[in-house]
Amino acid sequence: MALLLWKAFDFFEVSQVKLGDDETRSLFENNEISSVCSGSESLFLGSDNGYVRIIGPSWKVVRSFQAHETGRITHMRQVEGTSLLVTVSEDLSNEPVLKVWALDKPVKRTGLPTCLSTISINNGRKQFPISAFTALDDLSQLAVGFANGAVTVIRGDLIHDRGTKQRIVYESEEPITGVEFVSDPKLSTLFVATTSKLLKIVIAGRGHGQPPRTVEDSGCAAGCMTVNKKTGDVIVVREDAVYYYTVDGRGLCFANDGATTLVSAFEDYVGLVAPPSSPKNGASDNIRRRFVGTSTDSFFSAATFTMIDPQLQIVAHSEMLISPVKALFRIWGDLFILTQDGKINRYHEKSLHQRLELLYQRNLFPLAINLAQKSGMDVQQQNLIFRKYGDHLYQKGDYDSAMTQYIKSIDNTEPSQVVRKFLDTQRIHNLIEYLEELHEHHRATADHTTLLLNCYAKLKDVEKLEKFIRSEGDLKFDLETAINMCRQGGYFEQAAYLATKHGESDLVVDILIEDSKRYSDALDFIWHLDAETAYSCLMKYARVLLEHCPSNTSQFFIDYYTGKYRPKVHELPIEAVPIHSGNRLTAGAVNAVQNLTSLLPLPYMGTPTIPSPTAQGNGQPPPGHETSDVQQDNDSLMKYTPPPPRSAFSSFIDHPDEFIVFLEACLQSDFLGEADKADIYTTLFEMYLHKAKDGKGVQREEWEFKAKKLIEGHDLPIENSNILLLSHLSDFRDGTTLVKEQSGLLFDILRSYTSAKDTRGAIKALRKYGPREPQLYPAALAYFTSDPRILDEAGPEELADVLKKIDSDGLMAPLQVIQTLGSNAVATMGMIKPYLHETITRERREIATNKRQIASFRKETEQKRVEIAELGSKPAVFQAQRCPGCGAPLDLPVVHFLCKHSFHQRCLKVDNSIGDGEDKTECPVCAPNNAAVRAMKRGQEERAERHDLFRDALSKSDERFKTVAQWFGQGVMGAGGLE
């Protein structure tokens, strides 16, 4: 692109330098300057008379010395950062002379700088002027080009004057127009330009000694070759273009507008000085008219100075110079131009902010962005440019491009400023793009997430919604907001996916049950959770799950409450489900009803799968998705403590069958405490009675049988009061009876039948419990004779049996029986006649027996009294002839006893047990009877003080009067004993 077509700006502030004093002003105005160089914060001027003058920042001559006695100084080079200065003087009568000066080492005698070395430059004794000169920074190599086409390279230690070597490395017919070194630690290359060629010569390193290699078959004019110190590129300016070269070949190039006399690299710019040209040169004339605004002849003879930025392809500055340019140099951070009339112009680059403002004024925002990036502006400031560019495009109506710029500035722009501009429905796609980028940069708030999801829903763009929620990496949006918006928009599957992916198991269950109504999938999902999480989810929706999945939910309850719960593992085959892109809404609907067990990354899930659509609700997985639920290894999972079964009772309301199954299973658990067992027994008994009450016929009997079997046995944890209450409320008499029987309340059992007028039950209870509780018979007698209807139901045989039992066991006195029967007019005399006849007959026999016994006792007593009287008043006659002890005939001494027994005295033994006041000799024949009588007497005396024995015998006796009489007869009541 020609420079004429490049956008032109004024990035430099131009000012004329005011010289410090008359001496300096005279130096410049007299046109005595033959060469110029700069470095080390100083400006060095060489003159025709061989003097070097050093100019300081104040633009005054701070030092001057004569460097050469003959010839004019045509070239100089100052080594930056040192005090070394290289000067070259020419006198066509002699070879050019090169000197190296140490400016910081003055000679004591003269005060002049020390000349470190002096050499004559060899040109094969040909007297031609030097047309180009360059040197390495360490002065180890210098190159000199001559107008005759020769190039001489000087090697050596010029600083310490240890000798040098010169060699002509190139000769040609064309004059040398430029020489420049390109050096790195391994290779030094010398670029040589002639009027017709550009060559490179390896001076040091690999390839040294090889002949020059032609780089381009076009050369350049003198002064049109330089090197960019920052990049190492060699810049060659020709009439057609400006070229960049490296050791590898030609690089960047751009068109030129004509001839050029001088070129200089300043920072990122290239300064070009064009010579005066005739008006026929249209391009140059256009540039002059463009920047000067006149066609006056005085401008036609003026030089043109142009600063260009090759990277940005802009003209940074351009102006017409009335006087020809003598030198271009840069020092103190600015670029300077020395003209033939002795004037010096300073070119100071404007600040980056000023340059950007110039671009803003012309709405050249892309150029401003490139300038900011090239200048190393921080990202935050660059984002401001992007935002300005976006505002400009928005005002032009280019919303897509504006959004691109807003996205680039997203890190430093308040999102609300952009969002407001794109709230129009027609710009919703741009808004979606911006909101997506906000989430990518983690700058989105909950409101942004809500807005983005609303946009997806408005466009029904399920594909983008899927991509958004399934984005990889860190979470880029507010999770709770995204889930809520998906649920509100009807995208339940996507909401469930988000909740599952980020571990919100409770939300997954909420979505499946409350939104999707997929109860079986919800239960299956819960079954994959850890014990603690699964329990909370189960209890939250237990009633709903029991309503729609009673069997599986009951099994879940059983497993969990019996300590057998283990999370399941899905093993699913991978099956791709194509989604046609023809209808986005249809594809979204398909995705929205995908099978959750394959879509979601469930806990403990094995191989994931791509989902296939299923019907909403409690459906079955489609073909090809058969799953096998594998229980986790017991050792790999943490144990949990099953909760008390009572906590699940309320969940089974309106589900008695499942509740009964649950309770029966819990009875087999090993984790039950005593309180838990009591709860389960009581509740299960209640449920059995509830089912029996609702059932009829055989079904009722079956449930009552189960209830009765449950409470049979001993040591049941259920309380009797609960059984009695529940049995009463359910009219379950067998339960009441069983409890009373186990508690020994047999009389209450009969009373319950009699109070209910259940004659058959009363008879049955009497036959079953009568032997154990005889007092039931008097109660039964009173019941049978309480009502004619009851007596008819019982029958006369049953009444006779009761009377017989009462009579045989003596349960009631005949008078009591008569009083019981006579309390009403139910029983007739004919019914009790056999009883009365038997009773009277038996009592008559007893009276007769008693009378005979009384007569016998009286007769015996009378006989004893007579014997006692005779013993006390009449002599006793002893007629025994033999001793009962030894059987031998009696002989003296003989002992006779009043019992008519006689013994040898020697055959008798003295009884020490007899009291002191009594004769201790006792008849051996009558001694046992006497001892028994004495023991009986002692026992009576002892028992006379034991009232507890008397009371015990009285309480156990059936005939208490008889017992009192017996104790009275035994002397307990204080009767005197036998003497």
Side-chain angles (χ1 to χ4, degrees):
M1 182 182 293
L3 297 181
L4 181 62
L5 301 179
W6 286 11
K7 291 181 173 62
F9 303 93
D10 194 6
F11 282 179
F12 285 84
E13 296 175 350
V14 183
S15 61
Q16 185 174 341
V17 176
K18 295 182 180 180
L19 302 178
D21 54 16
D22 294 338
E23 179 186 359
T24 307
R25 190 177 304 109
S26 175
L27 174 66
F28 283 96
E29 290 177 353
N30 293 336
N31 201 15
E32 298 176 357
I33 300 172
S34 60
S35 62
V36 179
C37 77
S38 61
S40 300
E41 299 298 317
S42 297
L43 178 63
F44 300 89
L45 305 177
S47 61
D48 294 334
N49 57 7
Y51 273 84
V52 174
R53 292 174 176 82
I54 302 175
I55 307 298
S58 61
W59 289 96
K60 295 180 180 180
V61 177
V62 296
R63 189 177 185 183
S64 66
F65 65 92
Q66 188 174 7
H68 297 270
E69 294 181 358
T70 61
R72 59 194 294 265
I73 300 175
T74 57
H75 296 84
M76 290 191 298
R77 178 69 181 270
Q78 203 280 329
V79 181
E80 186 70 38
T82 68
S83 62
L84 300 176
L85 177 67
V86 180
T87 61
V88 178
S89 69
E90 291 185 79
D91 182 3
L92 293 180
S93 62
N94 298 304
E95 291 182 339
V97 177
L98 182 148
K99 292 184 179 181
V100 179
W101 301 89
L103 302 178
D104 61 342
K105 296 179 180 180
V107 179
K108 293 182 179 181
R109 183 169 55 86
T110 62
L112 299 177
T114 301
C115 181
L116 299 179
S117 59
T118 302
I119 60 172
S120 297
I121 303 174
N122 178 26
N123 187 21
R125 299 184 182 278
K126 299 175 184 179
Q127 302 300 320
F128 286 91
I130 296 175
S131 58
F133 174 77
T134 188
L136 292 177
D137 291 338
D138 59 357
L139 301 182
S140 61
Q141 297 188 86
L142 298 90
V144 181
F146 292 92
N148 66 336
V151 177
T152 300
V153 174
I154 303 172
R155 291 190 181 92
D157 188 353
L158 296 174
I159 299 175
H160 300 93
D161 196 17
R162 294 177 181 176
T164 59
K165 293 182 180 181
Q166 298 185 35
R167 183 168 68 90
I168 299 176
V169 296
Y170 178 73
E171 291 181 308
S172 70
E173 297 299 329
E174 297 88 5
I176 303 300
T177 57
V179 289
E180 292 292 347
F181 277 114
V182 176
S183 178
D184 60 39
K186 296 183 179 180
L187 183 68
S188 293
T189 304
L190 176 66
F191 280 82
V192 178
T194 69
T195 56
S196 61
K197 288 183 180 180
L198 179 65
L199 309 97
K200 65 177 181 178
I201 303 170
V202 179
I203 302 302
R206 185 176 181 180
H208 173 61
Q210 296 180 358
R213 182 177 299 177
T214 301
V215 178
E216 194 83 50
D217 289 331
S218 298
C220 65
C224 292
M225 181 178 180
T226 187
V227 64
N228 189 329
K229 296 294 185 181
K230 292 176 64 176
T231 63
D233 295 337
V234 175
I235 303 173
V236 177
V237 182
R238 303 187 183 102
E239 290 187 6
D240 61 336
V242 178
Y243 298 90
Y244 282 70
Y245 294 93
T246 65
V247 293
D248 297 324
R250 191 169 76 180
L252 172 71
C253 69
F254 53 89
N256 192 11
D257 288 333
T260 302
T261 57
L262 281 177
V263 61
S264 177
F266 175 69
E267 301 298 337
D268 294 327
Y269 302 100
V270 176
L272 302 176
V273 178
S277 59
S278 64
K280 293 181 181 180
N281 190 334
S284 298
D285 183 60
N286 288 336
I287 293 179
R288 283 194 295 273
R289 292 178 183 278
R290 193 169 165 192
F291 292 97
V292 179
T294 180
S295 58
T296 307
D297 292 340
S298 61
F299 287 102
F300 292 157
S301 62
T304 302
F305 174 62
T306 305
M307 291 287 288
I308 60 176
D309 189 331
Q311 295 183 16
L312 299 180
Q313 294 187 350
I314 61 172
V315 176
H317 179 77
S318 183
E319 68 173 323
M320 309 298 292
L321 299 175
I322 304 301
S323 178
V325 177
K326 189 171 186 178
L328 283 172
F329 59 90
R330 55 180 182 173
I331 190 173
W332 302 312
D334 293 329
L335 181 69
F336 295 86
I337 290 181
L338 173 63
T339 60
Q340 292 287 0
D341 58 2
K343 300 294 190 331
I344 302 175
N345 292 338
R346 180 197 300 267
Y347 295 87
H348 177 73
E349 185 182 23
K350 294 180 180 179
S351 66
L352 179 59
H353 177 72
Q354 291 175 317
R355 285 177 281 162
L356 290 175
E357 285 297 330
L358 292 174
L359 298 177
Y360 295 158
Q361 292 171 7
R362 298 170 61 176
N363 295 326
L364 298 175
F365 294 98
L367 194 58
I369 293 170
N370 293 335
L371 174 61
Q373 293 175 344
K374 182 175 75 72
S375 303
M377 178 180 282
D378 62 87
V379 177
Q380 185 173 359
Q381 294 297 322
Q382 290 184 36
N383 289 339
L384 294 177
I385 303 175
F386 287 125
R387 190 174 66 194
K388 289 177 179 292
Y389 189 22
D391 293 339
H392 170 68
L393 294 173
Y394 182 85
Q395 292 174 0
K396 290 174 60 178
D398 188 356
Y399 302 117
D400 293 340
S401 300
M403 180 52 68
T404 301
Q405 302 307 316
Y406 286 136
I407 290 175
K408 291 180 180 179
S409 66
I410 200 168
D411 290 331
N412 301 103
T413 303
E414 174 59 38
S416 60
Q417 298 177 2
V418 179
V419 171
R420 290 194 198 99
K421 297 180 178 181
F422 292 89
L423 289 177
D424 192 335
T425 306
Q426 297 178 353
R427 303 168 195 166
I428 190 171
H429 293 285
N430 300 125
L431 181 59
I432 289 175
E433 183 182 6
Y434 186 75
L435 292 173
E436 288 175 344
E437 287 297 328
L438 278 178
H439 286 85
E440 286 293 331
H441 287 75
H442 299 280
R443 297 200 66 218
T445 64
D447 293 335
H448 296 143
T449 303
T450 302
L451 183 57
L452 178 59
L453 295 178
N454 277 330
C455 291
Y456 287 149
K458 190 175 186 65
L459 296 179
K460 295 182 171 56
D461 195 342
V462 182
E463 182 179 350
K464 279 194 173 182
L465 176 61
E466 288 278 350
K467 182 179 179 181
F468 176 72
I469 67 174
R470 295 173 185 274
S471 57
E472 300 295 333
D474 298 335
L475 186 63
K476 302 171 184 175
F477 48 84
D478 184 76
L479 178 63
E480 182 179 358
T481 301
I483 292 175
N484 291 337
M485 291 305 302
C486 286
R487 295 178 69 179
Q488 293 174 12
Y491 298 101
F492 305 134
E493 209 66 38
Q494 287 76 7
Y497 173 84
L498 284 174
T500 305
K501 180 179 179 181
H502 298 284
E504 299 291 341
S505 301
D506 294 341
L507 278 177
V508 176
V509 179
D510 292 347
I511 295 167
L512 290 176
I513 293 178
E514 297 178 3
D515 300 329
S516 300
K517 310 299 182 184
R518 299 171 60 182
Y519 306 105
S520 61
D521 287 341
L523 181 61
D524 184 66
F525 178 83
I526 295 173
W527 220 314
H528 289 81
L529 302 176
D530 61 274
E532 182 177 356
T533 308
Y535 177 71
S536 62
C537 294
L538 176 66
M539 297 309 294
K540 185 176 181 180
Y541 292 105
R543 295 187 184 180
V544 178
L545 292 174
L546 281 169
E547 181 69 26
H548 296 88
C549 309
S551 178
N552 291 338
T553 307
S554 298
Q555 187 59 45
F556 192 105
F557 269 104
I558 291 172
D559 289 351
Y560 196 92
Y561 278 85
T562 56
K564 300 176 182 178
Y565 173 77
R566 297 294 181 271
K568 292 182 179 179
V569 175
H570 273 285
E571 294 181 353
L572 300 172
I574 297 178
E575 178 181 348
V577 177
I579 298 177
H580 302 287
S581 59
N583 188 333
R584 301 174 69 185
L585 180 58
T586 303
V590 169
N591 282 334
V593 294
Q594 290 168 336
N595 189 320
L596 184 66
T597 57
S598 54
L599 172 66
L600 301 180
L602 296 173
Y604 306 108
M605 178 170 282
T607 306
T609 180
I610 300 175
S612 62
T614 60
Q616 179 172 313
N618 187 13
Q620 297 297 328
H625 280 270
E626 292 81 3
T627 63
S628 59
D629 293 329
V630 182
Q631 299 292 344
Q632 289 286 334
D633 184 7
N634 292 342
D635 296 335
S636 66
L637 296 174
M638 294 179 61
K639 297 292 184 181
Y640 71 98
T641 302
R646 172 177 284 276
S647 61
F649 288 178
S650 60
S651 302
F652 287 91
I653 294 176
D654 299 330
H655 299 281
D657 294 332
E658 289 76 14
F659 194 20
I660 289 173
V661 173
F662 169 73
L663 293 172
E664 290 175 344
C666 287
L667 284 179
Q668 310 301 322
S669 174
D670 298 331
F671 297 93
L672 296 179
E674 293 300 323
D676 295 335
K677 288 182 178 180
D679 290 340
I680 293 177
Y681 268 93
T682 302
T683 309
L684 184 58
F685 180 68
E686 181 181 1
M687 294 308 300
Y688 283 157
L689 295 181
H690 174 73
K691 294 294 291 184
K693 188 175 182 180
D694 293 341
K696 296 180 180 180
V698 178
Q699 189 177 13
R700 179 185 180 94
E701 293 178 358
E702 290 178 355
W703 288 114
E704 288 182 345
F705 175 77
K706 284 189 174 183
K708 184 176 180 181
K709 187 176 181 180
L710 181 67
I711 60 176
E712 287 180 347
H714 299 282
D715 300 329
L716 293 177
I718 185 172
E719 296 182 2
N720 291 336
S721 59
N722 290 335
I723 297 178
L724 292 173
L725 177 60
L726 294 173
S727 298
H728 174 72
L729 295 175
S730 300
D731 196 21
F732 181 53
R733 189 169 297 167
D734 289 347
T736 304
T737 302
L738 185 60
V739 171
K740 292 179 179 179
E741 179 181 345
Q742 293 174 348
S743 302
L745 303 176
L746 304 181
F747 200 92
D748 290 344
I749 296 175
L750 180 64
R751 186 180 301 163
S752 63
Y753 286 111
T754 58
S755 61
K757 307 298 183 181
D758 185 0
T759 305
R760 291 185 178 274
I763 294 173
K764 183 178 179 181
L766 181 63
R767 292 176 179 175
K768 183 176 181 180
Y769 307 116
R772 295 165 54 187
E773 183 59 55
Q775 291 301 321
L776 296 180
Y777 290 100
L781 177 63
Y783 171 68
F784 291 157
T785 58
S786 62
D787 188 92
R789 185 179 59 82
I790 296 176
L791 185 59
D792 290 340
E793 291 180 4
E797 293 81 5
E798 191 66 32
L799 179 62
D801 292 340
V802 171
L803 290 172
K804 184 178 180 180
K805 183 65 176 177
I806 292 174
D807 184 43
S808 62
D809 292 348
L811 301 177
M812 296 177 67
L815 184 56
Q816 292 175 324
V817 173
I818 297 299
Q819 290 176 344
T820 300
L821 297 179
S823 60
N824 50 58
V826 176
T828 62
M829 185 58 68
M831 295 179 181
I832 64 173
K833 184 177 180 180
Y835 166 76
L836 294 176
H837 179 270
E838 180 65 26
T839 301
I840 294 173
T841 303
R842 184 179 63 254
E843 290 193 355
R844 285 178 177 175
R845 286 197 299 269
E846 290 180 357
I847 292 173
T849 301
N850 291 336
K851 287 182 177 181
R852 286 195 299 271
Q853 191 174 6
I854 292 172
S856 174
F857 286 159
R858 286 179 176 175
K859 182 179 179 180
E860 185 178 352
T861 302
E862 188 62 30
Q863 289 177 355
K864 294 298 182 181
R865 288 178 176 175
V866 171
E867 289 180 1
I868 292 172
E870 288 181 352
L871 288 175
S873 59
K874 294 181 179 181
V877 177
F878 302 97
Q879 296 179 356
Q881 296 181 358
R882 290 186 176 273
C883 176
C886 60
L890 291 173
D891 54 2
L892 296 176
V894 177
V895 178
H896 300 281
F897 295 95
L898 292 179
C899 59
K900 307 299 183 178
H901 294 140
S902 300
F903 290 86
H904 295 118
Q905 187 177 9
R906 63 177 179 274
C907 293
L908 297 176
K909 294 181 180 180
V910 179
D911 189 359
N912 294 325
S913 62
I914 301 175
D916 294 338
E918 300 179 3
D919 188 359
K920 294 184 179 181
T921 302
E922 186 178 9
C923 173
V925 176
C926 298
N929 293 332
N930 296 335
V933 172
R934 284 194 294 270
M936 186 181 298
K937 182 180 179 183
R938 285 196 301 273
Q940 290 176 352
E941 292 175 351
E942 293 175 358
R943 292 176 66 183
E945 301 298 330
R946 296 289 301 276
H947 302 292
D948 55 334
L949 296 178
F950 171 70
R951 287 194 297 269
D952 182 63
L954 191 63
S955 63
K956 294 180 179 179
S957 175
D958 295 334
E959 297 182 6
R960 297 187 176 184
F961 184 79
K962 184 177 180 180
T963 303
V964 173
Q966 289 178 348
W967 279 77
F968 184 81
Q970 295 173 1
V972 176
M973 301 302 177
L978 297 174
E979 295 297 335

